Amino acid sequence: MAQDSLSALLDGQGIVAADPVMYALYQKAAYLAKMDATILLCGESGVGKDRLAKFVHQAGPRRDAPFIHVNCSAVPQALFEAELFGYESGTFTGGLTQGKQGLLEAAHGGTLFLDEIGEMSLANQVKLLDFLQTRQVARLGGGRRRDLDVRVISATNRDLKACVAQGIFREDLYYRICVVVLDIPPLRARPADIAAFAKGFLARSCPGRALTEDAVAFLQAQDWPGNLRELNNFLERACILSEEEAISASLLAPFYQNAPRPA
């Protein structure tokens, strides 16, 4: 993809990729977006895996079709099958009388993004594997199988190879979802993104405020274990609690030292 076209896509989605490492990653993602290969996104919590998944969807031919984001750790595993595959009427006491469309059906023609796939139970991994192999689903309580056209993008902050070795993630599913792997580097490994993100945040959320050069250097020197999520939280707090128009390193240091750290 041409540099101008890629930059326009990134700007249109509010994505910061000022660091050469991150820009190259999005160039690769733009290339992959034209294909239907199943992609696994890996990286620490807060690095922007959801944004990269949405970018792949928007940069490809499925952009006008649904993008369904499923957080596998947020859906109770006992309900996961019904949520993913749907159910026919009368399947559950208290269920919808007309049945319910599953998230896979909702994603037909588009993209299903399985965030935190490493949290999925072994039983549900088997059912997902069946779909990836057949590209068909049957609602719970029904026998009719439906053909679906869905691109699947998965994401994890876990070492899935280690999970396979521990017996908590299926090896056959692992090889199905990692046809292409994109590793997103942590924020501390891309200092140019720290500066661009921080300046962009102030421009949007704190008009009239600006970071001094030493403040930018201070931000780039921190580890940010919570990555973009932590940096956003920190900048928001600094803007609220500081009355200075020019935000300096000396002003930021106490806020950082007293900031809540991710576990």
Side-chain angles (χ1 to χ4, degrees), residues 5 16 41 52 64 74-75 95 98 105 112 135 140 146 150 162 167 176 179-180 188 192 208 215 226 230 234-235:
S5 299
V16 173
L41 308 179
L52 182 55
D64 296 323
V75 180
Q98 72 274 26
E105 287 184 66
L112 180 74
R135 297 292 167 167
L140 273 66
R146 298 168 167 84
V150 177
R176 279 284 178 179
V179 175
V180 179
R188 58 186 172 274
E230 181 185 1
F234 174 77
L235 291 170

mmCIF file with all atom_site columns, all heavy atoms in Angstrom, residues 5 16 41 52 64 74-75 95 98 105 112 135 140 146 150 162 167 176 179-180 188 192 208 215 226 230 234-235:
data_model
loop_
_atom_site.group_PDB
_atom_site.id
_atom_site.type_symbol
_atom_site.label_atom_id
_atom_site.label_alt_id
_atom_site.label_comp_id
_atom_site.label_asym_id
_atom_site.label_entity_id
_atom_site.label_seq_id
_atom_site.pdbx_PDB_ins_code
_atom_site.Cartn_x
_atom_site.Cartn_y
_atom_site.Cartn_z
_atom_site.occupancy
_atom_site.B_iso_or_equiv
_atom_site.pdbx_formal_charge
_atom_site.auth_seq_id
_atom_site.auth_comp_id
_atom_site.auth_asym_id
_atom_site.auth_atom_id
_atom_site.pdbx_PDB_model_num
ATOM 1   N N   . SER A 1 5   ? -1.734  6.432   1.146  1.00 0.00 ? 5   SER A N   1
ATOM 2   C CA  . SER A 1 5   ? -2.962  5.682   1.395  1.00 0.00 ? 5   SER A CA  1
ATOM 3   C C   . SER A 1 5   ? -2.962  5.094   2.794  1.00 0.00 ? 5   SER A C   1
ATOM 4   O O   . SER A 1 5   ? -3.973  5.121   3.503  1.00 0.00 ? 5   SER A O   1
ATOM 5   C CB  . SER A 1 5   ? -3.129  4.561   0.361  1.00 0.00 ? 5   SER A CB  1
ATOM 6   O OG  . SER A 1 5   ? -3.208  5.094   -0.947 1.00 0.00 ? 5   SER A OG  1
ATOM 7   N N   . VAL A 1 16  ? -2.158  5.731   16.039 1.00 0.00 ? 16  VAL A N   1
ATOM 8   C CA  . VAL A 1 16  ? -0.811  6.294   16.102 1.00 0.00 ? 16  VAL A CA  1
ATOM 9   C C   . VAL A 1 16  ? 0.182   5.224   15.689 1.00 0.00 ? 16  VAL A C   1
ATOM 10  O O   . VAL A 1 16  ? 0.250   4.154   16.280 1.00 0.00 ? 16  VAL A O   1
ATOM 11  C CB  . VAL A 1 16  ? -0.489  6.798   17.515 1.00 0.00 ? 16  VAL A CB  1
ATOM 12  C CG1 . VAL A 1 16  ? 0.974   7.218   17.607 1.00 0.00 ? 16  VAL A CG1 1
ATOM 13  C CG2 . VAL A 1 16  ? -1.402  7.956   17.896 1.00 0.00 ? 16  VAL A CG2 1
ATOM 14  N N   . LEU A 1 41  ? -3.052  -12.041 16.600 1.00 0.00 ? 41  LEU A N   1
ATOM 15  C CA  . LEU A 1 41  ? -2.365  -10.851 17.091 1.00 0.00 ? 41  LEU A CA  1
ATOM 16  C C   . LEU A 1 41  ? -1.847  -11.128 18.499 1.00 0.00 ? 41  LEU A C   1
ATOM 17  O O   . LEU A 1 41  ? -2.614  -11.548 19.371 1.00 0.00 ? 41  LEU A O   1
ATOM 18  C CB  . LEU A 1 41  ? -3.322  -9.654  17.125 1.00 0.00 ? 41  LEU A CB  1
ATOM 19  C CG  . LEU A 1 41  ? -4.089  -9.359  15.833 1.00 0.00 ? 41  LEU A CG  1
ATOM 20  C CD1 . LEU A 1 41  ? -5.003  -8.158  16.033 1.00 0.00 ? 41  LEU A CD1 1
ATOM 21  C CD2 . LEU A 1 41  ? -3.140  -9.128  14.677 1.00 0.00 ? 41  LEU A CD2 1
ATOM 22  N N   . LEU A 1 52  ? -5.657  -2.865  15.869 1.00 0.00 ? 52  LEU A N   1
ATOM 23  C CA  . LEU A 1 52  ? -5.040  -3.500  14.709 1.00 0.00 ? 52  LEU A CA  1
ATOM 24  C C   . LEU A 1 52  ? -6.033  -4.422  14.013 1.00 0.00 ? 52  LEU A C   1
ATOM 25  O O   . LEU A 1 52  ? -6.095  -4.470  12.781 1.00 0.00 ? 52  LEU A O   1
ATOM 26  C CB  . LEU A 1 52  ? -3.791  -4.268  15.127 1.00 0.00 ? 52  LEU A CB  1
ATOM 27  C CG  . LEU A 1 52  ? -3.008  -4.961  14.008 1.00 0.00 ? 52  LEU A CG  1
ATOM 28  C CD1 . LEU A 1 52  ? -2.619  -3.980  12.907 1.00 0.00 ? 52  LEU A CD1 1
ATOM 29  C CD2 . LEU A 1 52  ? -1.752  -5.638  14.571 1.00 0.00 ? 52  LEU A CD2 1
ATOM 30  N N   . ASP A 1 64  ? -17.230 -3.038  4.534  1.00 0.00 ? 64  ASP A N   1
ATOM 31  C CA  . ASP A 1 64  ? -18.630 -2.625  4.635  1.00 0.00 ? 64  ASP A CA  1
ATOM 32  C C   . ASP A 1 64  ? -19.511 -3.676  5.301  1.00 0.00 ? 64  ASP A C   1
ATOM 33  O O   . ASP A 1 64  ? -20.728 -3.488  5.432  1.00 0.00 ? 64  ASP A O   1
ATOM 34  C CB  . ASP A 1 64  ? -19.187 -2.296  3.243  1.00 0.00 ? 64  ASP A CB  1
ATOM 35  C CG  . ASP A 1 64  ? -18.485 -1.103  2.610  1.00 0.00 ? 64  ASP A CG  1
ATOM 36  O OD1 . ASP A 1 64  ? -18.152 -0.156  3.362  1.00 0.00 ? 64  ASP A OD1 1
ATOM 37  O OD2 . ASP A 1 64  ? -18.248 -1.117  1.393  1.00 0.00 ? 64  ASP A OD2 1
ATOM 38  N N   . ALA A 1 74  ? -14.605 -12.198 28.837 1.00 0.00 ? 74  ALA A N   1
ATOM 39  C CA  . ALA A 1 74  ? -15.746 -11.499 29.445 1.00 0.00 ? 74  ALA A CA  1
ATOM 40  C C   . ALA A 1 74  ? -17.035 -12.303 29.355 1.00 0.00 ? 74  ALA A C   1
ATOM 41  O O   . ALA A 1 74  ? -17.986 -12.034 30.095 1.00 0.00 ? 74  ALA A O   1
ATOM 42  C CB  . ALA A 1 74  ? -15.937 -10.137 28.780 1.00 0.00 ? 74  ALA A CB  1
ATOM 43  N N   . VAL A 1 75  ? -17.090 -13.268 28.440 1.00 0.00 ? 75  VAL A N   1
ATOM 44  C CA  . VAL A 1 75  ? -18.297 -14.088 28.283 1.00 0.00 ? 75  VAL A CA  1
ATOM 45  C C   . VAL A 1 75  ? -18.157 -15.327 29.155 1.00 0.00 ? 75  VAL A C   1
ATOM 46  O O   . VAL A 1 75  ? -17.182 -16.071 29.017 1.00 0.00 ? 75  VAL A O   1
ATOM 47  C CB  . VAL A 1 75  ? -18.489 -14.514 26.811 1.00 0.00 ? 75  VAL A CB  1
ATOM 48  C CG1 . VAL A 1 75  ? -19.754 -15.364 26.666 1.00 0.00 ? 75  VAL A CG1 1
ATOM 49  C CG2 . VAL A 1 75  ? -18.555 -13.303 25.903 1.00 0.00 ? 75  VAL A CG2 1
ATOM 50  N N   . GLY A 1 95  ? -34.928 -18.462 27.627 1.00 0.00 ? 95  GLY A N   1
ATOM 51  C CA  . GLY A 1 95  ? -34.327 -17.956 26.402 1.00 0.00 ? 95  GLY A CA  1
ATOM 52  C C   . GLY A 1 95  ? -35.351 -17.243 25.541 1.00 0.00 ? 95  GLY A C   1
ATOM 53  O O   . GLY A 1 95  ? -36.564 -17.293 25.799 1.00 0.00 ? 95  GLY A O   1
ATOM 54  N N   . GLN A 1 98  ? -38.111 -16.841 20.108 1.00 0.00 ? 98  GLN A N   1
ATOM 55  C CA  . GLN A 1 98  ? -37.839 -17.000 18.678 1.00 0.00 ? 98  GLN A CA  1
ATOM 56  C C   . GLN A 1 98  ? -36.423 -17.503 18.417 1.00 0.00 ? 98  GLN A C   1
ATOM 57  O O   . GLN A 1 98  ? -35.999 -17.597 17.254 1.00 0.00 ? 98  GLN A O   1
ATOM 58  C CB  . GLN A 1 98  ? -38.060 -15.672 17.935 1.00 0.00 ? 98  GLN A CB  1
ATOM 59  C CG  . GLN A 1 98  ? -37.006 -14.607 18.209 1.00 0.00 ? 98  GLN A CG  1
ATOM 60  C CD  . GLN A 1 98  ? -37.305 -13.777 19.433 1.00 0.00 ? 98  GLN A CD  1
ATOM 61  O OE1 . GLN A 1 98  ? -37.995 -14.229 20.349 1.00 0.00 ? 98  GLN A OE1 1
ATOM 62  N NE2 . GLN A 1 98  ? -36.797 -12.547 19.460 1.00 0.00 ? 98  GLN A NE2 1
ATOM 63  N N   . GLU A 1 105 ? -22.925 -15.988 13.085 1.00 0.00 ? 105 GLU A N   1
ATOM 64  C CA  . GLU A 1 105 ? -23.889 -15.622 12.043 1.00 0.00 ? 105 GLU A CA  1
ATOM 65  C C   . GLU A 1 105 ? -23.929 -14.111 11.849 1.00 0.00 ? 105 GLU A C   1
ATOM 66  O O   . GLU A 1 105 ? -24.037 -13.621 10.722 1.00 0.00 ? 105 GLU A O   1
ATOM 67  C CB  . GLU A 1 105 ? -25.281 -16.131 12.406 1.00 0.00 ? 105 GLU A CB  1
ATOM 68  C CG  . GLU A 1 105 ? -25.468 -17.628 12.264 1.00 0.00 ? 105 GLU A CG  1
ATOM 69  C CD  . GLU A 1 105 ? -26.900 -18.037 12.538 1.00 0.00 ? 105 GLU A CD  1
ATOM 70  O OE1 . GLU A 1 105 ? -27.787 -17.656 11.749 1.00 0.00 ? 105 GLU A OE1 1
ATOM 71  O OE2 . GLU A 1 105 ? -27.136 -18.732 13.541 1.00 0.00 ? 105 GLU A OE2 1
ATOM 72  N N   . LEU A 1 112 ? -14.892 -11.732 12.431 1.00 0.00 ? 112 LEU A N   1
ATOM 73  C CA  . LEU A 1 112 ? -15.093 -12.049 13.839 1.00 0.00 ? 112 LEU A CA  1
ATOM 74  C C   . LEU A 1 112 ? -13.752 -11.895 14.539 1.00 0.00 ? 112 LEU A C   1
ATOM 75  O O   . LEU A 1 112 ? -12.776 -12.553 14.177 1.00 0.00 ? 112 LEU A O   1
ATOM 76  C CB  . LEU A 1 112 ? -15.606 -13.479 14.018 1.00 0.00 ? 112 LEU A CB  1
ATOM 77  C CG  . LEU A 1 112 ? -15.847 -13.905 15.471 1.00 0.00 ? 112 LEU A CG  1
ATOM 78  C CD1 . LEU A 1 112 ? -17.106 -13.233 16.014 1.00 0.00 ? 112 LEU A CD1 1
ATOM 79  C CD2 . LEU A 1 112 ? -15.972 -15.423 15.584 1.00 0.00 ? 112 LEU A CD2 1
ATOM 80  N N   . ARG A 1 135 ? -16.401 -24.304 8.324  1.00 0.00 ? 135 ARG A N   1
ATOM 81  C CA  . ARG A 1 135 ? -17.040 -23.017 8.001  1.00 0.00 ? 135 ARG A CA  1
ATOM 82  C C   . ARG A 1 135 ? -18.562 -23.160 8.015  1.00 0.00 ? 135 ARG A C   1
ATOM 83  O O   . ARG A 1 135 ? -19.271 -22.496 7.256  1.00 0.00 ? 135 ARG A O   1
ATOM 84  C CB  . ARG A 1 135 ? -16.549 -22.484 6.657  1.00 0.00 ? 135 ARG A CB  1
ATOM 85  C CG  . ARG A 1 135 ? -15.070 -22.180 6.645  1.00 0.00 ? 135 ARG A CG  1
ATOM 86  C CD  . ARG A 1 135 ? -14.733 -21.003 7.533  1.00 0.00 ? 135 ARG A CD  1
ATOM 87  N NE  . ARG A 1 135 ? -13.302 -20.889 7.778  1.00 0.00 ? 135 ARG A NE  1
ATOM 88  C CZ  . ARG A 1 135 ? -12.732 -19.806 8.320  1.00 0.00 ? 135 ARG A CZ  1
ATOM 89  N NH1 . ARG A 1 135 ? -13.472 -18.787 8.688  1.00 0.00 ? 135 ARG A NH1 1
ATOM 90  N NH2 . ARG A 1 135 ? -11.428 -19.775 8.537  1.00 0.00 ? 135 ARG A NH2 1
ATOM 91  N N   . LEU A 1 140 ? -27.610 -24.135 18.732 1.00 0.00 ? 140 LEU A N   1
ATOM 92  C CA  . LEU A 1 140 ? -27.944 -25.087 19.780 1.00 0.00 ? 140 LEU A CA  1
ATOM 93  C C   . LEU A 1 140 ? -29.441 -25.410 19.699 1.00 0.00 ? 140 LEU A C   1
ATOM 94  O O   . LEU A 1 140 ? -30.274 -24.510 19.505 1.00 0.00 ? 140 LEU A O   1
ATOM 95  C CB  . LEU A 1 140 ? -27.624 -24.515 21.165 1.00 0.00 ? 140 LEU A CB  1
ATOM 96  C CG  . LEU A 1 140 ? -26.205 -24.730 21.684 1.00 0.00 ? 140 LEU A CG  1
ATOM 97  C CD1 . LEU A 1 140 ? -25.193 -23.963 20.837 1.00 0.00 ? 140 LEU A CD1 1
ATOM 98  C CD2 . LEU A 1 140 ? -26.100 -24.304 23.139 1.00 0.00 ? 140 LEU A CD2 1
ATOM 99  N N   . ARG A 1 146 ? -25.463 -24.156 8.866  1.00 0.00 ? 146 ARG A N   1
ATOM 100 C CA  . ARG A 1 146 ? -25.448 -22.998 7.989  1.00 0.00 ? 146 ARG A CA  1
ATOM 101 C C   . ARG A 1 146 ? -24.023 -22.738 7.514  1.00 0.00 ? 146 ARG A C   1
ATOM 102 O O   . ARG A 1 146 ? -23.090 -22.737 8.317  1.00 0.00 ? 146 ARG A O   1
ATOM 103 C CB  . ARG A 1 146 ? -25.978 -21.758 8.710  1.00 0.00 ? 146 ARG A CB  1
ATOM 104 C CG  . ARG A 1 146 ? -27.422 -21.851 9.172  1.00 0.00 ? 146 ARG A CG  1
ATOM 105 C CD  . ARG A 1 146 ? -27.746 -20.703 10.127 1.00 0.00 ? 146 ARG A CD  1
ATOM 106 N NE  . ARG A 1 146 ? -29.166 -20.559 10.370 1.00 0.00 ? 146 ARG A NE  1
ATOM 107 C CZ  . ARG A 1 146 ? -29.847 -21.252 11.272 1.00 0.00 ? 146 ARG A CZ  1
ATOM 108 N NH1 . ARG A 1 146 ? -29.214 -22.168 12.010 1.00 0.00 ? 146 ARG A NH1 1
ATOM 109 N NH2 . ARG A 1 146 ? -31.134 -21.058 11.430 1.00 0.00 ? 146 ARG A NH2 1
ATOM 110 N N   . VAL A 1 150 ? -16.859 -15.997 7.033  1.00 0.00 ? 150 VAL A N   1
ATOM 111 C CA  . VAL A 1 150 ? -16.372 -15.148 8.120  1.00 0.00 ? 150 VAL A CA  1
ATOM 112 C C   . VAL A 1 150 ? -14.849 -15.181 8.161  1.00 0.00 ? 150 VAL A C   1
ATOM 113 O O   . VAL A 1 150 ? -14.243 -16.252 8.129  1.00 0.00 ? 150 VAL A O   1
ATOM 114 C CB  . VAL A 1 150 ? -16.921 -15.625 9.485  1.00 0.00 ? 150 VAL A CB  1
ATOM 115 C CG1 . VAL A 1 150 ? -16.356 -14.778 10.624 1.00 0.00 ? 150 VAL A CG1 1
ATOM 116 C CG2 . VAL A 1 150 ? -18.442 -15.578 9.503  1.00 0.00 ? 150 VAL A CG2 1
ATOM 117 N N   . ALA A 1 162 ? 3.136   -22.064 25.095 1.00 0.00 ? 162 ALA A N   1
ATOM 118 C CA  . ALA A 1 162 ? 3.273   -22.564 26.464 1.00 0.00 ? 162 ALA A CA  1
ATOM 119 C C   . ALA A 1 162 ? 1.945   -23.142 26.949 1.00 0.00 ? 162 ALA A C   1
ATOM 120 O O   . ALA A 1 162 ? 1.928   -24.153 27.657 1.00 0.00 ? 162 ALA A O   1
ATOM 121 C CB  . ALA A 1 162 ? 3.741   -21.448 27.397 1.00 0.00 ? 162 ALA A CB  1
ATOM 122 N N   . GLY A 1 167 ? -1.294  -28.064 28.225 1.00 0.00 ? 167 GLY A N   1
ATOM 123 C CA  . GLY A 1 167 ? -2.541  -28.783 28.012 1.00 0.00 ? 167 GLY A CA  1
ATOM 124 C C   . GLY A 1 167 ? -3.793  -27.954 28.211 1.00 0.00 ? 167 GLY A C   1
ATOM 125 O O   . GLY A 1 167 ? -4.894  -28.507 28.340 1.00 0.00 ? 167 GLY A O   1
ATOM 126 N N   . ARG A 1 176 ? -4.602  -23.625 13.639 1.00 0.00 ? 176 ARG A N   1
ATOM 127 C CA  . ARG A 1 176 ? -5.667  -23.060 12.802 1.00 0.00 ? 176 ARG A CA  1
ATOM 128 C C   . ARG A 1 176 ? -5.713  -21.538 12.885 1.00 0.00 ? 176 ARG A C   1
ATOM 129 O O   . ARG A 1 176 ? -6.000  -20.865 11.903 1.00 0.00 ? 176 ARG A O   1
ATOM 130 C CB  . ARG A 1 176 ? -7.027  -23.637 13.228 1.00 0.00 ? 176 ARG A CB  1
ATOM 131 C CG  . ARG A 1 176 ? -7.327  -25.014 12.677 1.00 0.00 ? 176 ARG A CG  1
ATOM 132 C CD  . ARG A 1 176 ? -7.717  -24.945 11.220 1.00 0.00 ? 176 ARG A CD  1
ATOM 133 N NE  . ARG A 1 176 ? -7.972  -26.271 10.670 1.00 0.00 ? 176 ARG A NE  1
ATOM 134 C CZ  . ARG A 1 176 ? -8.349  -26.486 9.417  1.00 0.00 ? 176 ARG A CZ  1
ATOM 135 N NH1 . ARG A 1 176 ? -8.506  -25.457 8.586  1.00 0.00 ? 176 ARG A NH1 1
ATOM 136 N NH2 . ARG A 1 176 ? -8.556  -27.700 8.980  1.00 0.00 ? 176 ARG A NH2 1
ATOM 137 N N   . VAL A 1 179 ? -2.213  -18.885 11.299 1.00 0.00 ? 179 VAL A N   1
ATOM 138 C CA  . VAL A 1 179 ? -1.707  -18.959 9.927  1.00 0.00 ? 179 VAL A CA  1
ATOM 139 C C   . VAL A 1 179 ? -0.727  -17.811 9.699  1.00 0.00 ? 179 VAL A C   1
ATOM 140 O O   . VAL A 1 179 ? 0.349   -17.986 9.134  1.00 0.00 ? 179 VAL A O   1
ATOM 141 C CB  . VAL A 1 179 ? -2.872  -18.900 8.917  1.00 0.00 ? 179 VAL A CB  1
ATOM 142 C CG1 . VAL A 1 179 ? -2.333  -18.860 7.490  1.00 0.00 ? 179 VAL A CG1 1
ATOM 143 C CG2 . VAL A 1 179 ? -3.800  -20.104 9.112  1.00 0.00 ? 179 VAL A CG2 1
ATOM 144 N N   . VAL A 1 180 ? -1.106  -16.633 10.164 1.00 0.00 ? 180 VAL A N   1
ATOM 145 C CA  . VAL A 1 180 ? -0.211  -15.464 10.152 1.00 0.00 ? 180 VAL A CA  1
ATOM 146 C C   . VAL A 1 180 ? -0.212  -14.874 11.559 1.00 0.00 ? 180 VAL A C   1
ATOM 147 O O   . VAL A 1 180 ? -1.283  -14.678 12.143 1.00 0.00 ? 180 VAL A O   1
ATOM 148 C CB  . VAL A 1 180 ? -0.656  -14.406 9.141  1.00 0.00 ? 180 VAL A CB  1
ATOM 149 C CG1 . VAL A 1 180 ? 0.284   -13.200 9.191  1.00 0.00 ? 180 VAL A CG1 1
ATOM 150 C CG2 . VAL A 1 180 ? -0.707  -14.977 7.736  1.00 0.00 ? 180 VAL A CG2 1
ATOM 151 N N   . ARG A 1 188 ? 6.931   0.709   25.344 1.00 0.00 ? 188 ARG A N   1
ATOM 152 C CA  . ARG A 1 188 ? 8.289   1.109   25.723 1.00 0.00 ? 188 ARG A CA  1
ATOM 153 C C   . ARG A 1 188 ? 9.307   0.845   24.613 1.00 0.00 ? 188 ARG A C   1
ATOM 154 O O   . ARG A 1 188 ? 10.391  1.413   24.619 1.00 0.00 ? 188 ARG A O   1
ATOM 155 C CB  . ARG A 1 188 ? 8.718   0.376   26.989 1.00 0.00 ? 188 ARG A CB  1
ATOM 156 C CG  . ARG A 1 188 ? 8.695   -1.136  26.876 1.00 0.00 ? 188 ARG A CG  1
ATOM 157 C CD  . ARG A 1 188 ? 8.988   -1.818  28.210 1.00 0.00 ? 188 ARG A CD  1
ATOM 158 N NE  . ARG A 1 188 ? 8.789   -3.262  28.130 1.00 0.00 ? 188 ARG A NE  1
ATOM 159 C CZ  . ARG A 1 188 ? 7.621   -3.850  28.304 1.00 0.00 ? 188 ARG A CZ  1
ATOM 160 N NH1 . ARG A 1 188 ? 6.543   -3.134  28.562 1.00 0.00 ? 188 ARG A NH1 1
ATOM 161 N NH2 . ARG A 1 188 ? 7.516   -5.175  28.227 1.00 0.00 ? 188 ARG A NH2 1
ATOM 162 N N   . ALA A 1 192 ? 8.764   6.773   19.622 1.00 0.00 ? 192 ALA A N   1
ATOM 163 C CA  . ALA A 1 192 ? 8.138   7.797   18.782 1.00 0.00 ? 192 ALA A CA  1
ATOM 164 C C   . ALA A 1 192 ? 6.619   7.778   18.926 1.00 0.00 ? 192 ALA A C   1
ATOM 165 O O   . ALA A 1 192 ? 5.955   8.818   18.816 1.00 0.00 ? 192 ALA A O   1
ATOM 166 C CB  . ALA A 1 192 ? 8.533   7.596   17.315 1.00 0.00 ? 192 ALA A CB  1
ATOM 167 N N   . GLY A 1 208 ? -4.848  24.009  24.275 1.00 0.00 ? 208 GLY A N   1
ATOM 168 C CA  . GLY A 1 208 ? -4.120  25.078  24.943 1.00 0.00 ? 208 GLY A CA  1
ATOM 169 C C   . GLY A 1 208 ? -3.003  24.594  25.840 1.00 0.00 ? 208 GLY A C   1
ATOM 170 O O   . GLY A 1 208 ? -2.183  25.383  26.302 1.00 0.00 ? 208 GLY A O   1
ATOM 171 N N   . ALA A 1 215 ? 9.403   17.020  29.127 1.00 0.00 ? 215 ALA A N   1
ATOM 172 C CA  . ALA A 1 215 ? 8.250   16.196  29.479 1.00 0.00 ? 215 ALA A CA  1
ATOM 173 C C   . ALA A 1 215 ? 8.117   15.025  28.514 1.00 0.00 ? 215 ALA A C   1
ATOM 174 O O   . ALA A 1 215 ? 7.832   13.892  28.928 1.00 0.00 ? 215 ALA A O   1
ATOM 175 C CB  . ALA A 1 215 ? 6.973   17.030  29.468 1.00 0.00 ? 215 ALA A CB  1
ATOM 176 N N   . GLY A 1 226 ? 1.314   -0.882  31.408 1.00 0.00 ? 226 GLY A N   1
ATOM 177 C CA  . GLY A 1 226 ? -0.064  -0.934  30.918 1.00 0.00 ? 226 GLY A CA  1
ATOM 178 C C   . GLY A 1 226 ? -0.208  -0.427  29.499 1.00 0.00 ? 226 GLY A C   1
ATOM 179 O O   . GLY A 1 226 ? -1.320  -0.341  28.969 1.00 0.00 ? 226 GLY A O   1
ATOM 180 N N   . GLU A 1 230 ? -2.443  2.608   29.871 1.00 0.00 ? 230 GLU A N   1
ATOM 181 C CA  . GLU A 1 230 ? -1.871  3.288   31.028 1.00 0.00 ? 230 GLU A CA  1
ATOM 182 C C   . GLU A 1 230 ? -1.464  4.715   30.687 1.00 0.00 ? 230 GLU A C   1
ATOM 183 O O   . GLU A 1 230 ? -1.704  5.649   31.465 1.00 0.00 ? 230 GLU A O   1
ATOM 184 C CB  . GLU A 1 230 ? -0.659  2.516   31.558 1.00 0.00 ? 230 GLU A CB  1
ATOM 185 C CG  . GLU A 1 230 ? -0.047  3.168   32.792 1.00 0.00 ? 230 GLU A CG  1
ATOM 186 C CD  . GLU A 1 230 ? 1.227   2.490   33.261 1.00 0.00 ? 230 GLU A CD  1
ATOM 187 O OE1 . GLU A 1 230 ? 1.664   1.509   32.626 1.00 0.00 ? 230 GLU A OE1 1
ATOM 188 O OE2 . GLU A 1 230 ? 1.800   2.960   34.266 1.00 0.00 ? 230 GLU A OE2 1
ATOM 189 N N   . PHE A 1 234 ? -2.769  8.099   32.459 1.00 0.00 ? 234 PHE A N   1
ATOM 190 C CA  . PHE A 1 234 ? -1.830  9.010   33.101 1.00 0.00 ? 234 PHE A CA  1
ATOM 191 C C   . PHE A 1 234 ? -1.980  10.439  32.567 1.00 0.00 ? 234 PHE A C   1
ATOM 192 O O   . PHE A 1 234 ? -2.012  11.411  33.334 1.00 0.00 ? 234 PHE A O   1
ATOM 193 C CB  . PHE A 1 234 ? -0.402  8.508   32.875 1.00 0.00 ? 234 PHE A CB  1
ATOM 194 C CG  . PHE A 1 234 ? 0.652   9.454   33.363 1.00 0.00 ? 234 PHE A CG  1
ATOM 195 C CD1 . PHE A 1 234 ? 0.938   9.561   34.719 1.00 0.00 ? 234 PHE A CD1 1
ATOM 196 C CD2 . PHE A 1 234 ? 1.363   10.248  32.472 1.00 0.00 ? 234 PHE A CD2 1
ATOM 197 C CE1 . PHE A 1 234 ? 1.909   10.441  35.178 1.00 0.00 ? 234 PHE A CE1 1
ATOM 198 C CE2 . PHE A 1 234 ? 2.331   11.121  32.922 1.00 0.00 ? 234 PHE A CE2 1
ATOM 199 C CZ  . PHE A 1 234 ? 2.601   11.219  34.279 1.00 0.00 ? 234 PHE A CZ  1
ATOM 200 N N   . LEU A 1 235 ? -2.062  10.575  31.244 1.00 0.00 ? 235 LEU A N   1
ATOM 201 C CA  . LEU A 1 235 ? -2.188  11.901  30.651 1.00 0.00 ? 235 LEU A CA  1
ATOM 202 C C   . LEU A 1 235 ? -3.495  12.575  31.055 1.00 0.00 ? 235 LEU A C   1
ATOM 203 O O   . LEU A 1 235 ? -3.538  13.790  31.310 1.00 0.00 ? 235 LEU A O   1
ATOM 204 C CB  . LEU A 1 235 ? -2.094  11.798  29.127 1.00 0.00 ? 235 LEU A CB  1
ATOM 205 C CG  . LEU A 1 235 ? -0.719  11.420  28.572 1.00 0.00 ? 235 LEU A CG  1
ATOM 206 C CD1 . LEU A 1 235 ? -0.817  11.106  27.084 1.00 0.00 ? 235 LEU A CD1 1
ATOM 207 C CD2 . LEU A 1 235 ? 0.299   12.543  28.809 1.00 0.00 ? 235 LEU A CD2 1
#
